[in-house]
Amino acid sequence: MLVNPKAESKIRQGVTTEISGNCGFTMFPLSDANFEEKKKYTEEKYGVDIDWKDIGGIFPPSGGTRYALNYATLVGHGSVRSAVFGHEDRLPRIGRWKHEAVDPECMEAGAMGLSTGLIYTPGCFARTEEIIELCREVAAYRGIYATHMRNEGIVSSNPLKRRS
């Protein structure tokens, strides 16, 4: 959407809605270190100049660039974890962390929920209890939870058997 707001190829295929922020990654929130890295990457690869660090930069201001598609985004758990902890394997203090990960401003600005990429760094460091608490926070906003699961390559001999 940032590279081509007209989205001609999608419109021609009948796509009318774009949901971004899947697999735990979004272009927000960005720490100072992440901002410089993302800014350089998006300028070099796509010719897009980012000037935001939070969800406000994703949605165009009134009178600004308009998207041809309906657009919604999830909050990327991996992006939040990266902004707060870098790529460290850290166990967050849930009370404070759940408000950083599911920022009320993001949800009120239009985020539809939370996505995780539990197979990718830094999402792979999240414990089950962390995800449960974050989902409770998302539920308070009637948001959704989408995941790129941790063990996609493991097949159980009993598909009904629960795994931790």
Side-chain angles (χ1 to χ4, degrees), residues 85-162:
F85 304 121
H87 286 98
E88 295 178 33
D89 182 359
R90 290 190 51 186
L91 197 59
R93 293 195 340 234
I94 296 297
R96 179 177 169 206
W97 168 238
K98 70 181 179 181
H99 294 292
E100 290 181 46
V102 185
D103 183 349
E105 289 181 29
C106 284
M107 298 303 290
E108 291 168 13
M112 303 299 292
L114 178 74
S115 78
T116 54
L118 301 176
I119 199 166
Y120 304 116
T121 303
C124 62
F125 301 130
R127 309 305 189 275
T128 302
E129 296 77 18
E130 175 183 341
I131 303 304
I132 291 169
E133 285 303 314
L134 297 179
C135 286
R136 284 189 178 126
E137 196 74 9
V138 168
Y141 291 94
R142 298 185 55 116
I144 65 167
Y145 170 63
T147 190
H148 185 145
M149 65 186 187
R150 214 181 290 271
N151 300 321
E152 64 187 9
I154 298 174
V155 178
S156 171
S157 59
N158 179 355
L160 301 177
K161 182 180 175 184
R162 293 186 75 188

Side-chain angles (χ1 to χ4, degrees), residues 4 6-18 68-69:
N4 181 7
K6 293 181 181 179
E8 293 98 340
S9 64
K10 290 185 180 186
I11 294 291
R12 289 184 183 127
Q13 295 178 62
V15 174
T16 60
T17 302
E18 178 92 31
L69 301 173

Side-chain angles (χ1 to χ4, degrees), residues 28-29 52-59 73 75 105-107 109-111:
F28 67 90
W52 67 84
K53 292 184 179 180
D54 59 27
I55 193 172
I58 299 295
F59 295 108
T73 187
V75 176
E105 289 181 29
C106 284
M107 298 303 290

